[in-house]
Amino acid sequence: MNLKCGIVGLPNVGKSTLFNALSNAGAESANFPFCTIDPNVGLVQVPDQRLDTLTKLVDPKETIPATIEFVDIAGLVKGASEGKGKGNAFLSHIREVDLIVHVVRCFDDDDVIHVEGSVDPERDIHIIEDELILKDLESVEKRVDTLKKQSKGGDKKALAALNVVERLAEHLGDGNSARTFTTDRDETEAYKDLFLLSDKPVLYACNVAEDEINTGNKYVKIVETIASEFNDSVVSFCAKIEAEIAELDPDEKEMFLDELGLDHSGLYRLIRAAYENLGLITYFTAGPKEVRAWTIKKGMKAPQAAGVIHTDFERGFIRAETISFSDYENLRSEKAAKDAGKMRQEGKEYIVNDGDVMLFRFNV
């Protein structure tokens, strides 16, 4: 599934450093605003211990992890919605993502310039959010004008849609995000195709100092308070540490994390949080040629999950031979699971569970 996370924030908060560590794609990073103009894109592997376990048990020729696409979007500034700092181009990149990863500076360092002159997470978050809201307001007001023209002839559908978008325009005009706009599911059809920026889910990534990675600080608490209002997630990381970890081999990485008193890197937690925020789960296919993790939306039924592999699998779906990961791990092989009666025959209405190991039967 081609799902994108857009990394946003003010200039100089550690976005490109984070992106470099995530993908090793070499995004340009410098101590001044707008060093990144075009968005850098990187496919990032989703860490999953279950995939490692299946690989050891099956010993396939190849192992293929699930991936998420991360997009490094250049730093936004106050006035971006009016085109300042290349704002219009940057905002258009945000429109294309499924999840916003909002990097917030949560450390003090006089040697690192802050575009607003001081460290203030609440102010910084609102600068970005206000620009998204203002850009959305511009889009919604254009829709209001269009619907007004369409409804002049008494078009009932246009009149109903006009009522919705006028309420939305008022809501945005009061400085509220589209995510807090209360409406019926049917009413969202009036503006769904606008792909509003402030309607996207957010994951806050707090960039902290090296000595505060375990303890957090007052700035992180501020971000957590803001995030709780929207039920958003917060992950802390230290861009400097992550950049160092990215250069290490696996054994050195583990030793380095142990020295820091960390079970996982900040990037590990960030990737997992992004995956979960997008409402994604993983199922596996396992055979001598390949062990692979497949990404699907939570709640997806077996035929649709099969369609992620190939559309023919969905069209000709017969059944899914399914083993839970825990049974596969405990019994050590597909044959042992089958002999123990732990391989289930699931039909078209089966909702796939996270961690299912599946074999699809289908007609060509």
Side-chain angles (χ1 to χ4, degrees):
M1 298 182 75
N2 188 27
L3 293 164
K4 292 183 181 180
C5 301
I7 303 174
V8 308
L10 293 175
N12 248 19
V13 295
K15 293 185 304 78
S16 291
T17 306
L18 172 63
F19 178 80
N20 288 346
L22 276 167
S23 65
N24 291 323
E28 186 182 359
S29 179
N31 192 19
F32 53 89
F34 312 125
C35 65
T36 314
I37 302 301
D38 295 321
N40 293 289
V41 179
L43 268 182
V44 179
Q45 293 183 5
V46 178
D48 196 324
Q49 185 59 48
R50 297 171 302 180
L51 187 67
D52 299 334
T53 300
L54 286 172
T55 297
K56 287 175 185 173
L57 293 174
V58 177
D59 192 23
K61 290 180 180 176
E62 188 177 13
T63 299
I64 303 174
T67 58
I68 298 183
E69 195 169 303
F70 279 85
V71 184
D72 179 24
I73 297 167
L76 294 169
V77 292
K78 197 181 291 183
S81 59
E82 299 167 1
K84 290 183 181 176
K86 305 279 187 182
N88 282 326
F90 300 161
L91 289 165
S92 71
H93 298 317
I94 298 172
R95 202 176 299 284
E96 297 168 5
V97 306
D98 302 286
L99 172 72
I100 293 173
V101 178
H102 188 161
V103 181
V104 185
R105 177 168 166 176
C106 292
F107 66 90
D108 292 306
D109 188 338
D110 293 337
D111 293 330
V112 180
I113 300 164
H114 192 294
V115 72
E116 291 294 320
S118 63
V119 179
D120 184 340
E122 185 172 9
R123 176 205 60 211
D124 294 353
I125 286 171
H126 285 303
I127 286 173
I128 299 294
E129 287 187 347
D130 287 349
E131 294 307 318
L132 302 185
I133 290 167
L134 286 169
K135 196 65 181 175
D136 284 347
L137 182 58
E138 180 185 309
S139 300
V140 171
E141 285 176 339
K142 286 178 183 175
R143 177 59 53 88
V144 168
D145 290 341
T146 301
L147 288 169
K148 277 182 178 177
K149 290 173 186 173
Q150 292 175 352
S151 60
K152 279 182 180 176
D155 185 326
K156 289 184 180 179
K157 191 175 178 181
L159 280 167
L162 178 61
N163 175 264
V164 175
V165 294
E166 281 184 329
R167 284 191 286 118
L168 176 56
E170 184 179 353
H171 180 81
L172 294 168
D174 289 337
N176 302 305
S177 77
R179 285 197 293 159
T180 60
F181 181 59
T182 306
T183 184
D184 296 333
R185 183 177 292 180
D186 291 342
E187 291 180 325
T188 61
E189 293 297 321
Y191 61 88
K192 187 172 72 174
D193 61 330
L194 295 177
F195 301 103
L196 299 177
L197 306 175
S198 66
D199 202 25
K200 295 181 184 293
V202 178
L203 167 62
Y204 290 100
C206 298
N207 187 7
V208 300
E210 293 175 70
D211 58 352
E212 294 175 326
I213 190 65
N214 285 311
T215 61
N217 57 35
K218 62 182 180 181
Y219 298 136
V220 174
K221 287 184 175 138
I222 290 168
V223 177
E224 288 172 342
T225 300
I226 293 168
S228 66
E229 295 174 19
F230 297 97
N231 234 10
D232 291 327
S233 300
V234 179
V235 173
S236 290
F237 76 103
C238 173
K240 203 171 182 180
I241 288 174
E242 299 302 333
E244 290 176 30
I245 291 174
E247 300 299 321
L248 302 175
D249 64 38
D251 290 338
E252 290 176 322
K253 195 177 292 186
E254 196 171 325
M255 287 174 60
F256 187 57
L257 288 171
D258 284 342
E259 287 172 10
L260 293 169
L262 298 171
D263 292 328
H264 298 292
S265 69
L267 296 190
Y268 176 100
R269 288 180 281 108
L270 182 116
I271 296 164
R272 289 302 316 176
Y275 200 72
E276 286 155 18
N277 269 258
L278 287 167
L280 304 176
I281 60 170
T282 301
Y283 77 83
F284 303 98
T285 52
K289 287 185 180 178
E290 173 186 284
V291 167
R292 183 163 183 166
W294 299 91
T295 299
I296 61 170
K297 282 280 189 183
K298 190 175 182 180
M300 195 173 271
K301 292 181 179 179
Q304 289 73 50
V308 172
I309 299 176
H310 197 287
T311 52
D312 286 348
F313 284 28
E314 181 175 358
R315 279 196 297 266
F317 180 88
I318 299 172
R319 67 180 182 275
E321 296 177 357
T322 308
I323 306 167
S324 70
F325 172 76
S326 58
D327 285 337
Y328 203 113
E329 183 180 30
N330 291 335
L331 295 165
R332 316 295 289 174
S333 73
E334 180 184 305
K335 184 179 183 305
K338 190 174 183 179
D339 291 344
K342 295 297 184 179
M343 177 183 278
R344 311 184 308 274
Q345 307 295 316
E346 304 290 2
K348 292 182 179 180
E349 295 304 308
Y350 176 67
I351 295 174
V352 178
N353 289 310
D354 185 42
D356 279 347
V357 183
M358 309 187 81
L359 174 65
F360 296 106
R361 301 295 184 186
F362 64 98
N363 284 320
V364 178

